Amino acid sequence: MPGSSLQILISAFLMLIALPSCLQVTGPADISNDSMLRSGASRMQAYLPMIEGKNVGLVANHSSMTGGVHLADTLMASGIDIIKVFAPEHGFRGMAGAGEALDNGHDPATGIPVISLYGEKKKPSKEDLRDIDILLFDIQDVGVRFYTYISTLTYVMEAAAQSGIPLVVLDRPNPNGFYIDGPVMEPEYVSFVGLHPVPIVYGMTIGEYALMVNGEGWLPGGIQCELSVIRMTGYNRDELYRLQVKPSPNLPGWEAVYLYPSLCLFEGTVVSVGRGTDFPFTVYGHPGLHSGNFVFTPRSMPWAMHPKFEGVQCTGQDLSGYAAEYQNFDKHLNLEWLISAWEELGHDSSFFNPYFEKLAGTASLRHQIMEGKSMEEIRAGWEPGLRNFKTIRKKYLLYDDFNPE
């Protein structure tokens, strides 16, 4: 009945928890503003009626926070029946290392069964979904093609479409959402670190990305899932969002998040990006580099087991100060560090490994670097693909756009 005691209690509870998500906003003039943004997860009034009385499958991880409380705990306190949790790379609590296979289990805090989507399988099976009425997706993305949470989203969409189960995506801000750059991925390099023809940095929220995957027919056979996106309020694509909950173990701070699109290309080379240190993705180095201003020695850690050059001193660059340039809205990938390392390490073809093409999404970037092309020349070659992508992207935007030109 409308106005029942349960509904009144729920409404009061929702008012208490509907607080801004755990992040800060940075603008060019003021770097300390508290965000007035409300994530999709915090707008429970918008989606609670969709999931009440249903068996819910929650796709979430440690970043699925609202008002300082994990979404799973908030939903259970609201009387929502979470049947299963589906966990992406790094696991439900976010402590597994990059590429580390994860097993199924139970969440110690809630007892809910946890199905790994980063182990033997990347997609929920029909059996996994047999007792699920609706899927709820809430994961903090960083807006970069090779960050695997959007691949998990795609496989969840595919499974939902094939099983006829509705999917609700709770939107969150993109901390790299203020620019678009990089080569558009070519079909021959499709992998879990790149499923779709998008540039490295695509300037969309995860909800917008889901709409694009559905609308462009990028699921197998052009199938579409029954998709709803719970929009944010107060989101400004031109602002910088400093995430207060690290999205994965090796992106520990906002500097790493903003440097990640450029530095991750080093993962396809002999150069270290500081995995196995307290400052991954804010440095790069190699034992054979000599012109750098910084030294570090990688060591094995729970989230970086046996990292590149474990126990070996590397010389390179500390780029944490460079991240400050993003306060001035520096809207492009930086290839200068990659080109410089290539040149200093002797132009040896073993500098690159086959993973580089998967990250770049094209073979041309390796060839252009080996041919001595400048960053400006390389980036100019991306323009036709970027123009086409921007045309596609516009169809799925839920929030005011920046000027992407």
Side-chain angles (χ1 to χ4, degrees):
M1 288 177 58
S4 69
S5 297
L6 176 60
Q7 288 177 314
I8 292 171
L9 287 171
I10 289 174
S11 296
F13 179 77
L14 295 179
M15 291 178 66
L16 288 173
I17 66 161
L19 301 173
S21 295
C22 296
L23 50 84
Q24 291 180 315
V25 174
T26 299
D30 187 346
I31 64 170
S32 60
N33 288 342
D34 287 336
S35 174
M36 297 307 296
L37 177 142
R38 291 180 62 196
S39 69
S42 71
R43 299 184 60 235
M44 287 189 67
Q45 299 93 333
Y47 63 92
L48 196 62
M50 304 168 72
I51 61 176
E52 285 179 313
K54 296 181 180 178
N55 292 341
V56 177
L58 179 63
V59 188
N61 67 359
H62 65 288
S63 71
S64 308
M65 303 289 289
T66 179
V69 180
H70 196 281
L71 182 61
D73 300 322
T74 300
L75 291 175
M76 292 178 70
S78 301
I80 300 301
D81 194 4
I82 301 176
I83 299 297
K84 289 173 185 171
V85 167
F86 297 90
E89 183 178 8
H90 309 297
F92 182 46
R93 295 298 174 181
M95 291 306 295
E100 180 180 340
L102 301 170
D103 297 326
N104 297 338
H106 288 78
D107 176 41
T110 62
I112 300 173
V114 177
I115 306 298
S116 171
L117 300 182
Y118 199 81
E120 294 182 358
K121 59 188 175 187
K122 301 293 193 294
K123 184 178 83 170
S125 68
K126 284 190 175 292
E127 179 61 24
D128 292 333
L129 299 177
R130 183 178 54 83
D131 50 356
I132 300 295
D133 298 322
I134 191 167
L135 285 163
L136 198 62
F137 185 104
D138 181 40
I139 294 175
Q140 177 63 60
D141 189 40
V142 301
V144 183
R145 186 184 65 222
F146 35 66
Y147 203 63
T148 62
Y149 295 160
I150 55 171
S151 295
T152 294
L153 169 65
T154 299
Y155 283 122
V156 168
M157 291 175 66
E158 179 183 333
Q162 292 171 341
S163 295
I165 297 174
L167 171 67
V168 180
V169 174
L170 307 181
D171 213 3
R172 287 187 175 269
N174 176 358
N176 285 304
F178 55 92
Y179 73 113
I180 300 168
D181 205 13
V184 172
M185 198 200 69
E186 299 166 1
E188 56 265 45
Y189 299 107
V190 167
S191 73
F192 196 63
V193 293
L195 291 176
H196 306 125
V198 303
I200 290 175
V201 183
Y202 46 81
M204 305 175 79
T205 69
I206 198 162
E208 292 171 333
Y209 197 93
L211 291 171
M212 181 172 62
V213 170
N214 225 25
E216 292 301 305
W218 289 346
L219 297 178
I223 59 174
Q224 293 190 339
C225 73
E226 184 181 335
L227 174 66
S228 301
V229 177
I230 304 301
R231 294 176 51 156
M232 298 175 280
T233 59
Y235 178 59
N236 184 340
R237 209 182 302 269
D238 276 324
E239 290 181 334
L240 303 181
Y241 290 89
R242 298 189 184 193
L243 306 177
Q244 298 303 294
V245 177
K246 59 185 180 182
S248 56
N250 283 294
L251 294 182
W254 71 273
E255 297 92 345
V257 170
Y258 295 120
L259 289 166
Y260 176 75
S262 298
L263 291 190
C264 193
L265 290 169
F266 276 120
E267 299 272 75
T269 74
V270 296
V271 177
S272 167
V273 291
R275 289 188 186 272
T277 72
D278 295 327
F279 34 80
F281 287 102
T282 62
V283 302
Y284 73 88
H286 184 277
L289 289 175
H290 304 291
S291 61
N293 61 3
F294 189 69
V295 296
F296 61 90
T297 303
R299 63 190 188 280
S300 192
M301 296 178 168
W303 52 88
M305 299 296 292
H306 308 300
K308 191 182 294 182
F309 302 122
E310 181 179 0
V312 179
Q313 181 173 287
C314 297
T315 300
Q317 299 285 343
D318 176 4
L319 300 172
S320 56
Y322 172 86
E325 293 186 21
Y326 281 86
Q327 296 173 14
N328 298 317
F329 302 94
D330 187 9
K331 299 182 179 182
H332 64 76
L333 296 176
N334 191 309
L335 299 177
E336 291 177 351
W337 307 312
L338 183 63
I339 293 170
S340 175
W342 155 259
E343 291 177 345
E344 185 171 349
L345 289 173
H347 295 250
D348 188 338
S349 61
S350 64
F351 178 86
F352 296 98
N353 63 53
Y355 191 49
F356 186 83
E357 271 73 17
K358 291 184 178 180
L359 293 170
T362 177
S364 63
L365 181 56
R366 179 206 292 246
H367 297 319
Q368 289 168 325
I369 292 171
M370 294 177 70
E371 290 166 3
K373 301 288 187 183
S374 69
M375 182 172 75
E376 290 74 18
E377 290 173 315
I378 293 171
R379 294 187 66 251
W382 299 341
E383 284 306 313
L386 289 175
R387 283 196 298 270
N388 181 63
F389 170 73
K390 289 171 186 176
T391 300
I392 296 170
R393 169 184 173 273
K394 285 181 181 178
K395 296 185 288 183
Y396 303 104
L397 299 185
L398 298 173
Y399 315 94
D400 289 343
D401 200 7
F402 56 78
N403 179 3
E405 300 301 331

